[in-house]
Amino acid sequence: ALMSTRKLLAAISSVKEGGWDYRPFIGRQFSELSIGVVGFGRLGKMFARYCDSFGAKVSIFDPFATHAGHYRFVEDLFDLCINSDVLSLHVHHTRETEKIINTRFLSFCKPTVTIINTSRGEIVDELALLEFLGKNPEALYYTDVLNNEIDNRNSNPLTSAIGIKDQIIITPHIGGMTSDGQTKAYFFTAKKLIDLYGQK
């Protein structure tokens, strides 16, 4: 979210190529943004808290949440789209959420929206997304996941998009890949195994 609103990757690349002109990289003040959070589970709550600490206006959509703390709670997903400068996705891949980001969803989004997906690639209709990005050159898609990323990554339409590559930033599913996070996961798994089978 911070990288996208300040155009950091493009600015870094420009300097590496010898540039020093800030004008193409004028971004937005994070405290002036409206942030939409889709899914208010553990990670959605963390993301909302981070954005709130920067002074952004945070709105939540989650049909299973009973309350959204002091954040604005939105009952209609499309109302969230209309008002959000940044949309961050934090939902599991289920039959109900598959391709929830589709042509209809995107038709309610701002032409300058940034969509961040650290959930699962399957919740996005990637062809509809490409069409939306092609029509809206200021819109951005930052993702850590792809549809069928294990078996079909090399032929994924997002990785081979021509003409709008600058609007798509893809990282290799590194969301939880920190040494600290892996250590916690290993110890959590070990404890579960010990609890289940007993310590030998």
Side-chain angles (χ1 to χ4, degrees), residues 30-99:
F30 209 82
S31 59
E32 301 300 315
L33 297 179
S34 293
I35 310 293
V37 180
V38 181
F40 201 52
R42 181 177 64 90
L43 298 178
K45 287 182 173 72
M46 288 172 62
F47 182 78
R49 187 172 72 249
Y50 296 151
C51 294
D52 183 57
S53 70
F54 280 94
K57 179 182 178 183
V58 179
S59 299
I60 307 296
F61 172 81
D62 187 330
F64 301 104
T66 55
H67 66 89
H70 68 278
Y71 310 119
R72 176 174 172 257
F73 188 80
V74 178
E75 295 187 3
D76 188 318
L77 178 60
F78 303 114
D79 285 343
L80 189 74
C81 299
I82 291 170
N83 297 307
S84 295
D85 300 300
V86 175
L87 283 164
S88 191
L89 312 176
H90 303 274
V91 298
H92 295 291
H93 173 218
T94 66
R95 186 169 54 188
E96 290 75 22
T97 62
E98 182 156 339
K99 294 187 178 180

Side-chain angles (χ1 to χ4, degrees), residues 4 10 17 20 25 46 63 97 102 131 136 148 175 184 190 193:
S4 67
E17 294 167 4
W20 196 258
F25 313 112
M46 288 172 62
T97 62
N102 51 34
E131 183 178 359
N136 298 281
N148 196 17
K184 288 180 181 179
L193 289 171

Side-chain angles (χ1 to χ4, degrees), residues 107-121:
S107 71
F108 285 88
C109 291
K110 293 182 177 183
T112 57
V113 69
T114 292
I115 299 173
I116 300 171
N117 184 9
T118 56
S119 295
R120 289 292 181 267

